[in-house]
């Protein structure tokens, strides 16, 4: 599904490129303004003033969902309001709610005919369910739990409100071919990644109250993974009505003694009692999104992103996160101010520029993932590029070349050669920073390409550039404070992002995607 979707997105991108090109040939567009006077409004002084507040102790390290982060979110919003930059959402709200949970292993009890079984050892919940209790004699064994065009385990069965037990795999015929494909090729019903969701969907659509899946091949791995996820933050997945658990061999055989060889659906005479208590804790957080609408192609979007959260307070010490990612945050705000000034003077961008400050980056790129996977404010197919800034205020002490005026670029050539060429050309024309591609390497063990918010755009075939100064001794330490920022470098790098965004927004043709994300 994902692959298909992204191919579809490429087709749309290519199609819209073609049409805008032919349109541009006939439409007279205004001569582009000189961006230099706007870039020069981005100054070390302004960046410093904003960062001393943003990474000050008052904001308590901006941990996702905490009071300090709420203050940071308000600070960002007030900047956009001051600069007269409207909210990205059509309802005028600068905030995009990002529902999160801190995961915890649920408390579950399970009895079969008076014998009690043990959470994690005998069964493990694999998708979050609502609190509830279940006492029933209505138990159905539904074989492989398959419902396909030419094969169904559910034919003639009513499983509504009942406990359904299924096993892994799919049927073969007497010649050893798979029944569903008619060949020696297995189907999604026994593919590890797909079978989980496919068998869940069928049982859910038929109104089962609980689905117990005997899948001995993966039980140990799943018990480890789902049983010990406590404390990790994740996007809220919405607790389901149906309890969905994997069951281990003892429990499976308590229901169907020959479950390893039995494929026939049947009802089972047993007494089952289940209690389920969901221990995940809800956390509310927000992305902040503002927009300067394009004058000629308002429905094509350039996103400038930076994460607003950091690590919070640990052992009484504030993790200020001045570089990570206070630097990127104030850079985005200053760039927004420069574009707003250009717009006021009649030189607004031709395409729309979206300023996106995302939460939950330190918890696993959650705010950007919510934006791309759950709630894109603007269609991903209309999103031209994401320029993501995460740590641009310091220098890397391990860097071999000792010139200070550098920045690491990651990802610029991965999906669009044109984006890379534009980035290089803008730098040559205006900034002359040493663009360092050391970490722009698939085989780099640091895997930085996957480690900040741009990745959620790149995985959707949206070209990205990740701007980064590398790590240093204060990385993810309380010592990442605003006094250690090299503000002249922060200014240079912020201006580079501004010029690149300016060009992407104002050039005649939308940049093309020439490679596909894996
Ligand atoms: Zn970080």
């Amino acid at each position: 599904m994902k692959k298909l979707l992204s191919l579809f997105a490429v087709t749309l991108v290519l199609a819209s490129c073609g049409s805008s090109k032919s349109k541009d040939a006939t439409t007279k567009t205004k001569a582009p303004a000189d961006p230099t006077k706007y870039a020069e409004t981005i100054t070390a002084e302004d960046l410093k003033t904003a960062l001393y507040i943003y990474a000050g102790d008052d904001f308590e390290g901006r941990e996702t969902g905490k009071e300090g982060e709420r203050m940071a979110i308000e600070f960002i919003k007030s900047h956009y309001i001051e600069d007269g930059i409207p909210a990205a959402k059509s309802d005028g709200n600068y905030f995009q709610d990002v529902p999160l949970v801190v995961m915890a292993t649920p408390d579950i009890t399970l009895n079969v005919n008076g014998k009690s079984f043990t959470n994690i050892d005998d069964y493990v919940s694999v998708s979050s369910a609502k609190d509830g209790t279940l006492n029933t004699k209505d138990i159905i064994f539904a074989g492989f739990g398959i419902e396909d065009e030419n094969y169904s385990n559910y034919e003639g069965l009513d499983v509504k409100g009942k406990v359904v037990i299924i096993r892994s795999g799919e049927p073969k015929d007497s010649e050893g071919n798979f029944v569903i494909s008619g060949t020696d090729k297995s189907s999604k019903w026994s593919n590890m990644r797909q079978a989980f969701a496919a068998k869940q969907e069928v049982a859910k659509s038929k109104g089962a109250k609980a689905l117990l899946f005997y899948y001995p091949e993966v039980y140990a791995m799943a018990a480890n993974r789902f049983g010990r996820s406590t404390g990790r933050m994740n996007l809220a997945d919405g607790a389901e009505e149906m309890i969905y658990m994997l069951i281990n061999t003892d429990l499976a055989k308590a229901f169907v003694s020959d479950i390893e060889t039995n494929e026939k659906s049947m009802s089972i005479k047993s007494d089952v009692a289940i209690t389920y208590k969901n221990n995940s804790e809800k956390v509310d957080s927000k992305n902040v999104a503002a927009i300067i609408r394009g004058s000629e192609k308002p429905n094509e979007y350039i996103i400038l992103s930076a994460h607003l959260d950091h690590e919070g307070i640990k052992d009484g010490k504030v993790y200020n996160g001045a570089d990570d990612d206070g630097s990127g945050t104030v850079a985005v705000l200053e760039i927004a101010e420069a574009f707003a000034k250009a717009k006021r003077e009649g030189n607004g961008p031709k395409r729309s520029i979206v300023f996106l400050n995302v939460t939950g980056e330190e918890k696993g790129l959650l705010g950007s993932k919510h934006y791309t996977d759950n709630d894109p404010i603007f269609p991903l197919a209309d999103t031209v590029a994401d320029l993501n800034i995460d740590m641009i205020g310091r220098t890397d002490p391990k860097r071999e070349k000792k010139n200070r005026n550098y920045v690491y670029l990651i990802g610029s050539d991965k999906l669009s050669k044109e984006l890379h060429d534009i980035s290089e050309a803008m730098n040559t024309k205006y900034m002359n920073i040493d663009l360092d591609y050391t970490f722009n390497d698939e085989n780099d063990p640091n895997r930085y390409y996957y480690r900040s918010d741009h990745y959620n755009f790149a995985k959707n075939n949206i070209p990205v550039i990740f701007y980064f100064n590398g790590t240093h001794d204060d990385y993810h330490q309380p010592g990442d404070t605003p006094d250690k920022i090299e503000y002249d470098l922060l200014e240079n790098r912020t201006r580079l992002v501004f010029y690149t965004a300016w060009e992407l927004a104002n050039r005649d043709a939308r940049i093309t995607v020439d490679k596909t994300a894996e």
Side-chain angles (χ1 to χ4, degrees):
M1 194 64 188
K2 205 153 228 167
K3 200 119 214 167
L4 252 181
L5 262 178
S6 49
L7 284 174
F8 182 60
V10 180
T11 317
L12 281 178
V13 167
L14 294 175
S16 70
C17 274
S19 65
S20 65
K21 218 172 246 163
S22 57
K23 204 172 133 215
D24 287 340
T26 54
T27 317
K28 275 215 174 97
T29 56
K30 191 165 157 256
D34 179 5
T36 311
K37 70 179 275 204
Y38 304 112
E40 283 169 356
T41 68
I42 298 167
T43 63
E45 294 78 52
D46 286 358
L47 291 159
K48 185 174 182 177
T49 304
L51 190 55
Y52 264 81
I53 300 169
Y54 196 73
D57 287 353
D58 286 354
F59 285 15
E60 297 177 340
R62 310 183 300 278
E63 185 176 1
T64 299
K66 296 282 166 63
E67 181 53 31
E69 194 200 40
R70 274 189 275 280
M71 291 170 71
I73 286 168
E74 288 295 337
F75 176 87
I76 294 166
K77 173 184 163 179
S78 68
H79 253 262
Y80 291 132
I81 291 174
E82 248 168 60
D83 294 333
I85 304 171
K89 285 167 61 183
S90 54
D91 64 2
N93 188 347
Y94 285 88
F95 300 144
Q96 175 180 48
D97 287 326
V98 180
L100 300 165
V101 288
V102 176
M103 297 195 292
T105 308
D107 290 324
I108 310 170
T109 64
L110 191 154
N111 278 270
V112 182
N113 298 322
K115 182 177 184 323
S116 79
F117 289 83
T118 311
N119 195 6
I120 311 297
D121 287 347
D122 296 315
Y123 52 86
V124 58
S125 171
V126 289
S127 108
S128 151
K130 292 188 171 140
D131 291 354
T133 57
L134 182 60
N135 286 293
T136 184
K137 291 182 181 13
D138 284 329
I139 299 145
I140 304 280
F141 175 58
F144 295 106
I146 294 172
E147 185 168 68
D148 209 286
E149 271 172 26
N150 51 5
Y151 180 87
S152 173
N153 294 109
Y154 285 94
E155 212 168 279
L157 286 186
D158 175 13
V159 302
K160 199 171 166 56
K162 297 176 185 173
V163 174
V164 175
I165 297 160
I166 60 171
R167 54 172 288 202
S168 61
E170 62 180 301
K172 287 182 173 178
D173 63 21
S174 52
E175 272 135 53
N177 284 324
F178 288 102
V179 172
I180 287 167
S181 66
T183 69
D184 59 356
K185 293 245 176 350
S186 63
S187 73
K188 68 171 181 180
W189 300 101
S190 55
N191 171 300
M192 200 206 284
R193 281 176 57 198
Q194 295 172 297
F196 256 112
K199 294 187 177 185
Q200 176 188 24
E201 273 314 304
V202 179
K204 202 169 106 179
S205 72
K206 294 184 177 296
K209 190 73 192 147
L211 178 65
L212 309 184
F213 186 179
Y214 179 52
Y215 200 160
E217 301 91 329
V218 304
Y219 189 86
M221 186 190 74
N224 194 36
R225 185 164 154 227
F226 292 96
R228 294 173 229 302
S229 55
T230 290
R232 218 154 53 80
M233 196 177 272
N234 210 341
L235 291 174
D237 57 0
E240 301 276 355
E241 294 292 341
M242 184 180 85
I243 294 168
Y244 183 24
M245 301 198 287
L246 292 190
I247 56 175
N248 215 344
T249 308
D250 284 355
L251 178 54
K253 289 190 171 177
F255 290 112
V256 185
S257 57
D258 60 347
I259 192 163
E260 277 139 345
T261 51
N262 197 332
E263 304 179 3
K264 282 232 171 64
S265 299
M266 59 182 173
S267 66
I268 296 166
K269 292 196 178 18
S270 287
D271 271 318
V272 174
I274 301 173
T275 67
Y276 191 104
K277 182 167 184 317
N278 188 326
N279 293 320
S280 293
E281 187 192 326
K282 279 189 186 156
V283 175
D284 293 323
S285 189
K286 291 166 170 56
N287 294 331
V288 187
I291 188 170
I292 293 182
R293 282 268 166 204
S295 55
E296 291 179 20
K297 301 175 200 303
N299 297 323
E300 293 182 13
Y301 306 90
I302 320 293
I303 294 187
L304 300 188
S305 58
H307 72 87
L308 61 89
D309 66 304
H310 191 58
E311 297 262 293
I313 298 177
K314 289 184 240 176
D315 295 329
K317 293 197 185 86
V318 177
Y319 283 60
N320 300 81
D323 194 23
D324 184 7
D325 186 22
S327 63
T329 304
V330 297
V332 167
L333 295 179
E334 282 296 302
I335 294 169
E337 196 181 318
F339 273 111
K341 183 174 165 66
K343 175 137 187 163
R344 277 196 304 276
E345 296 181 358
N347 294 316
K350 293 177 184 173
R351 293 183 180 78
S352 294
I353 314 252
V354 178
F355 307 98
L356 182 63
N357 305 88
V358 291
T359 183
E361 193 272 352
E362 305 287 8
K363 308 288 187 188
L365 317 185
L366 299 178
S368 54
K369 188 171 187 216
H370 178 70
Y371 182 95
T372 58
D373 296 14
N374 299 339
D375 187 20
I377 297 174
F378 304 107
L380 297 181
D382 298 334
T383 303
V384 176
D386 170 45
L387 305 183
N388 182 52
I389 315 172
D390 191 356
M391 300 170 64
I392 57 161
R394 299 269 302 254
T395 50
D396 175 359
K398 293 191 291 299
R399 187 167 172 269
E400 274 164 32
K401 284 173 80 180
K402 292 298 172 202
N403 55 339
R404 295 171 65 239
N405 192 23
Y406 76 96
V407 65
Y408 293 123
L409 296 194
I410 297 167
S412 61
D413 62 349
K414 290 270 194 291
L415 293 169
S416 170
K417 184 173 183 304
E418 213 177 345
L419 176 60
H420 177 77
D421 292 346
I422 289 166
S423 160
E424 284 278 332
M426 291 305 108
N427 182 54
T428 305
K429 187 168 178 186
Y430 297 110
M431 294 308 302
N432 276 306
I433 298 172
D434 184 0
L435 303 183
D436 189 327
Y437 296 98
T438 302
F439 297 116
N440 188 42
D441 177 351
E442 286 293 320
N443 301 314
D444 174 54
N446 294 294
R447 291 171 56 84
Y448 289 127
Y449 183 61
Y450 303 94
R451 282 175 54 187
S452 187
D453 297 295
H454 57 276
Y455 178 67
N456 283 318
F457 292 92
K459 76 182 188 192
N460 284 293
N461 258 343
I462 296 165
V464 303
I465 304 178
F466 170 25
Y467 298 85
F468 178 51
N469 52 226
T471 58
H472 41 73
D473 290 347
D474 294 311
Y475 172 67
H476 281 209
Q477 296 298 326
D480 182 6
T481 49
D483 55 295
K484 295 188 190 129
I485 297 294
E486 302 183 49
Y487 289 95
D488 58 334
L489 301 184
L490 177 54
E491 177 188 285
N492 289 348
R493 294 158 178 173
T494 306
R495 287 182 181 184
L496 172 65
V497 181
F498 170 78
Y499 282 120
T500 306
W502 180 281
E503 177 63 19
L504 291 174
N506 285 308
R507 63 194 283 106
D508 286 344
R510 173 179 173 164
I511 59 164
T512 53
V513 178
D514 48 34
K515 288 163 207 147
T516 309
E518 305 94 68

